[in-house]
């Protein structure tokens, strides 16, 4: 077991380089199955979820290994089409392998995925889209048995711009005959990154980043080399860390065009945020002021993944900051832990109101999920005394080395390994 110990009171100062995007690399790892060859992924973060994806690939007969921060994958020898239950349970995004395996093998067998508990995240859109392409799916008994003698492209209108469904259908459509048009598709930068990787490997896809994605299927794919997009949520975490603790940080490689909803709120609250081709600078000197209500929404709206960390940055603001969570029903699980540190937060349904307090204090808190853990780190930077954060395996699912990055910015933070009592 590990804990993070953070002693607050230090203003952040300095520079860190933003890691590759977790939400890009996971669908790209699934996409390597379609290439049937050797792929080199640069700026690939070493995360628990990435390692889980590697184990899935290996269970399917593929090869994968690290060379520094470069991940090399060879799917030429893929020999299976079913993913073991234990591996599926490690992360929710494991369902992204369904479309790729089905497109390559004509069949796939997966159990229901696991991962962070953020409330219901049904995969109905994934399954209905695959059925529209010609797949036969038996989803009784907790296992998805999928078969498709032939996938055929067609127009699919998503009932909601789901990121996972958009990615899964893009992968399946690469193996379909003809043209697939995804309408009301998710517009996240990670969708564009998946398109970039697939096109590098010989696919013909256009429209990613808009609500209409067009995939011309049936093209033979091949291996290639690709550099993963910088992680916009990791960048948002360090921006909010600077907003919480004060100081000035430079986030190398962060792209403000992918974070404009977050940087706009930080500016309104009193931060000086400047974006350029090299990265983003965030400076906070005086006390923050509550901005207008923050409502999470699909991209390019305010990202649900940044809701908790922005809330942590505003715990000591002047006035009342209002949050409305519109995507996941259990995205306020961090609130009770922040309250242990002296935060004053009132939750009613999908709305949370943060009443700014004069000071926070260190406490023993528990990481409830990935983004809640990042929020606890941001809050601890501004707290008096020491905060001990347990259950940090959640944090390791999305951050390559959050303690190293924060320490490089001047935070008093360290990881403590503990042995469980017999």
């Amino acid at each position: 077991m590990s804990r993070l110990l953070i002693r607050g009171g230090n203003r952040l100062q300095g520079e860190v380089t933003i890691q590759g995007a977790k939400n890009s690399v996971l669908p790209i790892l699934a996409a390597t199955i379609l290439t049937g060859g050797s792929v080199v992924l640069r700026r690939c973060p070493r995360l628990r979820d990435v390692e889980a994806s590697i184990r899935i690939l290996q269970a399917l007969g593929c090869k994968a290994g690290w060379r520094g921060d470069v991940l090399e994958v060879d799917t030429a020898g893929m020999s299976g089409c079913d993913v073991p239950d234990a591996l599926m349970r490690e992360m929710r995004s494991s369902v992204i392998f369904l479309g790729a395996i089905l497109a390559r093998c004509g069949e796939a067998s997966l159990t229901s995925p696991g991962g962070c508990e953020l409330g219901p995240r049904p995969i109905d859109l994934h399954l209905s889209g695959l059925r529209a392409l010609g797949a036969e799916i038996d989803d009784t008994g907790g296992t998805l048995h999928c078969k498709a003698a032939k996938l055929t492209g067609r127009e699919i209108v998503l009932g909601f711009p789901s990121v996972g469904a958009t990615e899964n259908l893009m992968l399946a459509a690469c193996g379909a005959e003809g043209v697939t048009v995804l309408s009301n598709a998710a517009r996240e930068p990670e969708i564009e990154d998946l398109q970039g990787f697939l096109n590098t490997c010989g696919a013909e896809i256009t429209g990613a980043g808009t609500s209409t994605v067009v995939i011309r299927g049936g093209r033979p794919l091949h291996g290639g080399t690709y550099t993963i997009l910088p992680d916009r949520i990791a960048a948002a975490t360090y921006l909010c860390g600077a907003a919480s603790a004060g100081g000035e940080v430079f986030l190398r490689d962060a792209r403000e065009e992918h974070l404009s909803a977050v940087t706009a709120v930080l500016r309104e609250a009193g931060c000086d945020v400047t974006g350029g081709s090299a990265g983003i600078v965030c400076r906070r000197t005086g006390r923050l002021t509550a901005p207008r209500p923050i409502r999470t929404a699909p991209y390019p709206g305010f990202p649900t993944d940044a809701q908790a960390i922005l809330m942590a940055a505003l715990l000591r603001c002047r006035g009342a900051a209002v949050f409305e969570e519109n995507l996941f029903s259990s995205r306020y699980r961090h609130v009770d832990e922040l309250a242990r540190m002296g935060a004053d937060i009132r939750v009613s349904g999908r709305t949370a109101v943060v009443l700014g307090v004069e000071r926070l204090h260190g406490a023993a808190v528990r990481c409830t999920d990935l983004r809640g853990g990042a929020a606890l780190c941001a809050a601890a930077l501004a707290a008096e005394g020491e905060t001990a954060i347990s259950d940090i395996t959640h944090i390791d699912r999305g951050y390559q080395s959050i303690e190293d990055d924060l320490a490089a910015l001047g935070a008093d933070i360290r990881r403590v390994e503990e042995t469980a009592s017999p």
Side-chain angles (χ1 to χ4, degrees):
M1 296 175 62
S2 300
R3 291 189 302 163
L4 285 178
L5 302 181
I6 303 175
R7 183 167 294 278
N10 292 349
R11 298 170 70 82
L12 299 189
Q13 193 78 31
E15 170 186 328
V16 293
T17 299
I18 298 302
Q19 67 186 45
K22 164 186 178 279
N23 290 338
S24 275
V25 72
L26 299 182
I28 286 174
L29 284 173
T32 63
I33 288 173
L34 300 175
T35 70
S38 179
V39 170
V40 175
L41 298 178
R42 302 191 183 278
R43 194 163 55 197
C44 189
R46 288 200 179 204
L47 309 173
R48 289 176 62 89
D49 278 2
V50 173
E51 295 294 347
S53 293
I54 290 173
R55 288 192 290 274
I56 288 175
L57 288 171
Q58 292 170 337
L60 294 170
C62 306
K63 298 178 181 179
W66 293 96
R67 181 167 49 84
D69 67 346
V70 172
L71 181 59
E72 298 178 341
V73 180
D74 188 344
T75 63
M78 180 174 170
S79 56
C81 60
D82 60 318
V83 180
D85 177 69
L87 296 180
M88 285 296 297
R89 290 179 181 273
E90 290 191 33
M91 61 176 186
R92 280 187 178 268
S93 54
S94 54
V95 74
I96 197 65
F97 282 87
L98 179 58
I101 296 174
L102 185 64
R104 175 160 174 179
C105 302
E107 60 179 317
S109 180
L110 289 74
T111 56
S112 298
C116 280
E117 296 300 328
L118 300 175
R121 287 198 276 181
I123 60 172
D124 298 10
L125 293 176
H126 301 241
L127 303 186
S128 62
L130 292 173
R131 287 187 173 107
L133 293 176
E136 297 178 0
I137 304 175
D138 179 0
D139 56 354
T140 59
T143 300
L144 300 173
H145 298 288
C146 309
K147 290 186 178 181
K150 183 178 74 170
L151 295 174
T152 304
R154 59 165 295 175
E155 181 174 2
I156 299 172
V157 180
L158 296 176
F160 177 82
S162 161
V163 174
T166 300
E167 293 168 338
N168 229 338
L169 296 177
M170 286 172 65
L171 296 179
C174 284
E177 293 183 6
V179 178
T180 298
V181 179
L182 302 180
S183 297
N184 197 30
R187 298 166 58 187
E188 275 75 357
E190 294 80 14
I191 303 291
E192 293 185 70
D193 216 25
L194 178 59
Q195 173 182 280
F197 170 76
L198 288 168
N199 285 349
T200 295
C201 297
E204 187 177 348
I205 305 175
T206 58
T210 74
S211 58
T212 302
V213 180
V214 179
I215 306 100
R216 290 171 174 80
R219 296 173 61 91
L221 301 190
H222 52 75
T225 298
Y226 194 75
T227 301
I228 303 296
L229 180 80
D231 195 312
R232 61 193 172 100
I233 303 303
T237 298
Y238 300 134
L239 288 173
C240 291
S244 179
E248 180 177 338
V249 301
F250 173 54
L251 308 181
R252 184 170 297 281
D253 293 338
R255 300 184 185 179
E256 193 186 2
E257 65 267 26
H258 296 159
L259 283 164
S260 57
V262 176
T263 56
V265 174
L266 290 174
R267 289 190 183 99
E268 185 180 347
C271 293
D272 181 6
V273 184
T274 304
S277 59
I280 302 175
V281 175
C282 181
R283 181 186 302 107
R284 198 274 280 176
T285 53
R287 187 175 177 184
L288 298 180
T289 300
R292 284 170 290 184
I294 298 114
R295 297 179 173 89
T296 64
Y299 188 87
F302 190 90
T304 182
D305 283 346
Q307 173 254 108
I309 47 185
L310 179 64
M311 183 180 291
L314 295 174
L315 294 178
R316 297 188 303 149
C317 70
R318 292 188 180 91
V322 179
F323 290 80
E324 184 179 300
E325 174 54 57
N326 295 309
L327 298 182
F328 293 118
S329 60
S330 298
R331 264 274 160 94
Y332 289 139
R333 298 175 66 199
H334 54 282
V335 166
D336 288 343
E337 300 304 310
L338 291 174
R340 292 174 178 268
M341 303 172 68
D344 188 352
I345 308 172
R346 319 288 172 84
V347 176
S348 176
R350 291 185 174 273
T351 302
V353 179
V354 178
L355 302 174
V357 297
E358 290 291 331
R359 57 180 56 85
L360 300 170
H361 54 77
V365 293
R366 183 176 65 88
C367 176
T368 57
D369 53 60
L370 170 56
R371 303 310 172 195
L376 293 175
C377 290
L381 296 172
E384 298 176 1
E386 186 172 78
T387 298
I389 306 174
S390 60
D391 288 357
I392 63 172
T393 52
H394 288 292
I395 297 175
D396 293 339
R397 293 183 56 243
Y399 294 88
Q400 183 166 294
S401 54
I402 195 169
E403 66 269 30
D404 291 343
D405 287 339
L406 289 175
L409 295 173
D412 184 349
I413 179 172
R414 66 188 188 280
R415 180 179 294 232
V416 177
E417 302 290 342
E418 298 178 335
T419 303
S421 301

